[in-house]
């Protein structure tokens, strides 16, 4: 499988997780929600050559976040200008949240080994499971609640039930040939039974039906269990990113 360019993956990921507020500052996409998810509440550059007036632009972005009482956060990817990180360091920003972006081909993946429900919008059971499984903050849950109304690209919410209870969930969006998987979570008492794998495979099957040929996902670098699952499904690392936040 030929690895899609970083720019295509970054744009697909932004489309799959829209923010309630968004503005452009040159090639930087500045997004703000309720202060929950990093991708929804950070500035991401899409052009490594876009480094004019970086100190002034960083200060301007800081002011945007201050208007809403949110801490400024900058997401550094391979598309960030090389000069951006030193500017942030000089302003007291530390590194956090190292994340791996993985990519895999959808063709050839097996069918789920059991039933999984796919819906056009999440129901309360989906929300209850993602909150209980991942321990999400109230701010993150508020952002998830807005997601169905904000999405422009096709998306699906996947639920795996055990004895009538939703035990594992996932969300997937299809941006043309690229699908973006997110929100994979399993209730602690239900882990180790292959339910997350089933939710992923159901998500990928839906994405194939929408015309996607590859999928990408983002996983924290220290999440060994998730990394092992995705590697077994044929996913491999494309690149990494980190956040810079004021310490």
């Amino acid at each position: 499988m030929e690895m899609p360019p970083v720019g295509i993956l970054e744009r697909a990921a932004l489309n799959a997780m829209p923010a309630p507020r968004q503005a452009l500052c040159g090639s930087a996409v500045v997004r703000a929600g309720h202060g929950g998810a990093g991708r929804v509440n950070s500035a991401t550059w899409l052009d490594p050559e876009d480094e004019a007036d970086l100190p002034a632009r960083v200060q301007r972005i800081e002011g945007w976040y201050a208007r809403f009482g949110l801490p400024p956060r900058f997401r550094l990817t391979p598309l960030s200008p090389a000069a951006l990180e030193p500017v942030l360091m000089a302003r007291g920003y530390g590194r956090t949240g190292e994340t791996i972006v993985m990519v895999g081909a959808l063709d050839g993946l097996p069918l789920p080994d059991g039933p999984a429900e796919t819906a056009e919008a999440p129901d309360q059971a989906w929300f209850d499971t993602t909150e209980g499984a991942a321990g999400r903050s109230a701010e993150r849950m508020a952002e998830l609640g807005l997601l169905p109304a904000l999405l422009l690209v096709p998306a699906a919410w996947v639920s795996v039930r055990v004895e009538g209870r939703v035990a594992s969930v996932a969300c997937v969006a299809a941006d043309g040939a690229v699908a973006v998987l997110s929100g994979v979570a399993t209730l602690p008492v239900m882990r180790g039974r292959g339910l997350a794998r089933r939710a992923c495979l159901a998500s990928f099957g839906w994405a194939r039906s929408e015309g996607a040929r590859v999928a990408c996902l983002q996983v924290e670098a220290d999440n060994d269990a998730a990394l092992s699952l995705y590697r077994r499904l044929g996913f491999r690392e494309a690149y990494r990113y980190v956040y810079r936040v004021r310490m």
Side-chain angles (χ1 to χ4, degrees):
M1 180 198 72
E2 183 177 352
M3 191 73 71
V6 173
I8 289 178
L9 298 176
E10 279 292 301
R11 286 170 174 82
L14 291 173
N15 286 339
M17 191 64 67
R21 300 182 183 92
Q22 180 171 302
L24 293 174
C25 187
S27 75
V29 184
V30 186
R31 293 144 51 90
H34 290 79
R39 275 187 292 161
V40 178
N41 298 275
S42 60
T44 300
W45 261 251
L46 296 177
D47 180 1
E49 302 301 320
D50 178 26
E51 56 182 17
D53 301 319
L54 282 178
R57 289 165 66 192
V58 166
Q59 187 172 6
R60 183 184 181 194
I61 292 169
E62 290 172 344
W64 289 353
Y65 282 115
R67 285 181 57 226
F68 295 99
L70 296 173
R73 185 183 299 169
F74 294 82
R75 185 167 163 270
L76 302 184
T77 78
L79 298 181
S80 300
L84 177 59
E85 191 160 29
V87 169
L88 295 173
M89 291 173 62
R91 297 181 69 83
Y93 285 78
R95 288 169 66 100
T96 186
E98 183 179 13
T99 303
I100 301 173
V101 177
M102 305 183 78
V103 175
L106 295 180
D107 291 340
L109 287 175
L111 296 173
D113 60 357
E117 303 168 11
T118 302
E120 294 181 354
D123 58 13
Q124 189 57 49
W126 192 97
F127 284 117
D128 290 344
T129 299
T130 194
E131 183 177 20
R136 302 193 191 279
S137 66
E139 293 80 8
R140 180 65 185 122
M141 292 304 299
E143 291 165 355
L144 285 173
L146 293 174
L147 185 57
L150 294 175
L151 274 163
L152 187 59
V153 298
W157 281 260
V158 175
S159 301
V160 175
R161 293 182 184 270
V162 175
E163 298 176 354
R165 180 186 185 187
V166 176
S168 188
V169 295
C171 179
V172 60
D175 186 5
V178 179
V180 181
L181 179 73
S182 63
V184 180
T186 303
L187 292 172
V189 296
M190 296 291 182
R191 291 173 186 166
R193 302 170 63 171
L195 302 180
R197 180 178 186 274
R198 188 188 306 176
C200 290
L201 290 175
S203 300
F204 297 145
W206 175 89
R208 280 196 303 267
S209 73
E210 292 291 321
R213 292 293 172 263
V214 299
C216 68
L217 54 89
Q218 306 180 47
V219 59
E220 293 178 357
D222 59 358
N223 190 339
D224 294 334
L227 287 168
S228 177
L229 167 62
Y230 299 136
R231 286 168 179 153
R232 291 196 303 271
L233 292 175
F235 282 72
R236 55 193 176 95
E237 182 175 333
Y239 60 96
R240 299 188 179 204
Y241 66 81
V242 297
Y243 292 98
R244 280 277 181 179
V245 297
R246 274 228 173 95
M247 299 309 221

mmCIF file of all heavy atoms in Angstrom, residues 12 17 19 35 61 92 97 116 118 133 144 161 170 197 206 218 231:
data_model
loop_
_atom_site.group_PDB
_atom_site.id
_atom_site.type_symbol
_atom_site.label_atom_id
_atom_site.label_comp_id
_atom_site.label_asym_id
_atom_site.label_seq_id
_atom_site.Cartn_x
_atom_site.Cartn_y
_atom_site.Cartn_z
ATOM 1 N N ALA A 12 -8.064 15.062 6.155
ATOM 2 C CA ALA A 12 -9.124 14.094 6.447
ATOM 3 C C ALA A 12 -9.416 14.049 7.937
ATOM 4 O O ALA A 12 -10.585 13.977 8.351
ATOM 5 C CB ALA A 12 -8.719 12.715 5.927
ATOM 6 N N MET A 17 -13.214 15.412 12.524
ATOM 7 C CA MET A 17 -13.413 15.892 13.894
ATOM 8 C C MET A 17 -13.544 17.411 13.865
ATOM 9 O O MET A 17 -12.655 18.144 14.292
ATOM 10 C CB MET A 17 -12.247 15.469 14.787
ATOM 11 C CG MET A 17 -12.491 15.695 16.265
ATOM 12 S SD MET A 17 -13.835 14.724 16.949
ATOM 13 C CE MET A 17 -13.158 13.055 16.804
ATOM 14 N N ALA A 19 -14.664 21.328 14.585
ATOM 15 C CA ALA A 19 -14.766 22.115 15.815
ATOM 16 C C ALA A 19 -15.897 23.128 15.676
ATOM 17 O O ALA A 19 -16.186 23.605 14.574
ATOM 18 C CB ALA A 19 -13.453 22.838 16.084
ATOM 19 N N GLY A 35 -12.792 22.860 25.148
ATOM 20 C CA GLY A 35 -11.547 22.626 25.883
ATOM 21 C C GLY A 35 -11.257 21.167 26.135
ATOM 22 O O GLY A 35 -10.416 20.839 26.963
ATOM 23 N N ILE A 61 -3.010 34.162 17.946
ATOM 24 C CA ILE A 61 -3.776 32.948 18.237
ATOM 25 C C ILE A 61 -4.025 32.818 19.731
ATOM 26 O O ILE A 61 -5.120 32.423 20.167
ATOM 27 C CB ILE A 61 -3.040 31.717 17.668
ATOM 28 C CG1 ILE A 61 -3.060 31.753 16.128
ATOM 29 C CG2 ILE A 61 -3.669 30.421 18.177
ATOM 30 C CD1 ILE A 61 -2.145 30.737 15.468
ATOM 31 N N GLY A 92 7.379 29.621 26.701
ATOM 32 C CA GLY A 92 7.061 28.795 27.857
ATOM 33 C C GLY A 92 6.174 27.606 27.578
ATOM 34 O O GLY A 92 5.553 27.064 28.499
ATOM 35 N N GLY A 97 1.554 14.881 25.000
ATOM 36 C CA GLY A 97 0.604 14.170 24.152
ATOM 37 C C GLY A 97 1.171 13.611 22.856
ATOM 38 O O GLY A 97 0.563 13.784 21.797
ATOM 39 N N ALA A 116 -22.467 -6.280 14.875
ATOM 40 C CA ALA A 116 -22.152 -4.906 15.256
ATOM 41 C C ALA A 116 -23.169 -3.998 14.574
ATOM 42 O O ALA A 116 -23.537 -4.228 13.426
ATOM 43 C CB ALA A 116 -20.740 -4.524 14.840
ATOM 44 N N THR A 118 -24.405 -0.374 13.062
ATOM 45 C CA THR A 118 -23.882 0.843 12.442
ATOM 46 C C THR A 118 -25.027 1.827 12.266
ATOM 47 O O THR A 118 -26.047 1.486 11.662
ATOM 48 C CB THR A 118 -23.245 0.539 11.078
ATOM 49 O OG1 THR A 118 -22.198 -0.429 11.256
ATOM 50 C CG2 THR A 118 -22.648 1.792 10.464
ATOM 51 N N ALA A 133 -16.279 3.970 29.244
ATOM 52 C CA ALA A 133 -15.115 3.189 28.834
ATOM 53 C C ALA A 133 -13.841 4.008 28.842
ATOM 54 O O ALA A 133 -12.768 3.510 29.206
ATOM 55 C CB ALA A 133 -15.348 2.599 27.451
ATOM 56 N N LEU A 144 -18.389 15.792 21.782
ATOM 57 C CA LEU A 144 -18.921 14.627 21.079
ATOM 58 C C LEU A 144 -20.407 14.796 20.790
ATOM 59 O O LEU A 144 -20.904 14.354 19.745
ATOM 60 C CB LEU A 144 -18.680 13.361 21.899
ATOM 61 C CG LEU A 144 -17.251 12.826 21.919
ATOM 62 C CD1 LEU A 144 -17.129 11.670 22.908
ATOM 63 C CD2 LEU A 144 -16.820 12.377 20.529
ATOM 64 N N ARG A 161 -22.836 -4.924 21.022
ATOM 65 C CA ARG A 161 -23.594 -5.250 22.228
ATOM 66 C C ARG A 161 -23.215 -6.636 22.757
ATOM 67 O O ARG A 161 -22.953 -7.551 21.978
ATOM 68 C CB ARG A 161 -25.102 -5.220 21.939
ATOM 69 C CG ARG A 161 -25.643 -3.845 21.617
ATOM 70 C CD ARG A 161 -27.151 -3.874 21.401
ATOM 71 N NE ARG A 161 -27.631 -2.560 21.005
ATOM 72 C CZ ARG A 161 -28.034 -1.626 21.871
ATOM 73 N NH1 ARG A 161 -28.028 -1.894 23.180
ATOM 74 N NH2 ARG A 161 -28.449 -0.445 21.443
ATOM 75 N N ALA A 170 -17.214 2.747 18.382
ATOM 76 C CA ALA A 170 -16.245 3.400 17.521
ATOM 77 C C ALA A 170 -16.987 4.409 16.659
ATOM 78 O O ALA A 170 -18.220 4.371 16.549
ATOM 79 C CB ALA A 170 -15.504 2.394 16.641
ATOM 80 N N ARG A 197 -11.829 -5.025 18.364
ATOM 81 C CA ARG A 197 -11.492 -5.479 17.014
ATOM 82 C C ARG A 197 -12.752 -5.565 16.167
ATOM 83 O O ARG A 197 -12.765 -5.153 14.997
ATOM 84 C CB ARG A 197 -10.791 -6.831 17.083
ATOM 85 C CG ARG A 197 -10.387 -7.413 15.733
ATOM 86 C CD ARG A 197 -9.664 -8.741 15.912
ATOM 87 N NE ARG A 197 -9.143 -9.248 14.661
ATOM 88 C CZ ARG A 197 -9.844 -9.996 13.804
ATOM 89 N NH1 ARG A 197 -11.104 -10.299 14.078
ATOM 90 N NH2 ARG A 197 -9.284 -10.418 12.688
ATOM 91 N N TRP A 206 -17.987 -0.441 6.796
ATOM 92 C CA TRP A 206 -18.827 0.690 6.401
ATOM 93 C C TRP A 206 -18.040 1.656 5.520
ATOM 94 O O TRP A 206 -18.557 2.148 4.508
ATOM 95 C CB TRP A 206 -19.338 1.412 7.643
ATOM 96 C CG TRP A 206 -20.102 2.657 7.310
ATOM 97 C CD1 TRP A 206 -21.445 2.771 7.055
ATOM 98 C CD2 TRP A 206 -19.556 3.977 7.158
ATOM 99 N NE1 TRP A 206 -21.768 4.079 6.754
ATOM 100 C CE2 TRP A 206 -20.621 4.842 6.806
ATOM 101 C CE3 TRP A 206 -18.278 4.507 7.278
ATOM 102 C CZ2 TRP A 206 -20.445 6.202 6.584
ATOM 103 C CZ3 TRP A 206 -18.096 5.871 7.046
ATOM 104 C CH2 TRP A 206 -19.172 6.700 6.707
ATOM 105 N N GLN A 218 -5.526 7.686 15.025
ATOM 106 C CA GLN A 218 -4.546 8.337 15.880
ATOM 107 C C GLN A 218 -4.586 7.683 17.250
ATOM 108 O O GLN A 218 -5.653 7.520 17.832
ATOM 109 C CB GLN A 218 -4.865 9.827 15.969
ATOM 110 C CG GLN A 218 -4.971 10.458 14.582
ATOM 111 C CD GLN A 218 -5.285 11.932 14.594
ATOM 112 O OE1 GLN A 218 -4.675 12.701 15.329
ATOM 113 N NE2 GLN A 218 -6.208 12.342 13.761
ATOM 114 N N ARG A 231 -1.791 -2.910 14.726
ATOM 115 C CA ARG A 231 -0.723 -3.560 13.962
ATOM 116 C C ARG A 231 -1.165 -4.923 13.459
ATOM 117 O O ARG A 231 -0.842 -5.316 12.334
ATOM 118 C CB ARG A 231 0.537 -3.676 14.818
ATOM 119 C CG ARG A 231 1.271 -2.348 14.997
ATOM 120 C CD ARG A 231 2.324 -2.425 16.074
ATOM 121 N NE ARG A 231 3.038 -1.161 16.238
ATOM 122 C CZ ARG A 231 3.606 -0.760 17.354
ATOM 123 N NH1 ARG A 231 3.567 -1.549 18.447
ATOM 124 N NH2 ARG A 231 4.211 0.404 17.433
#
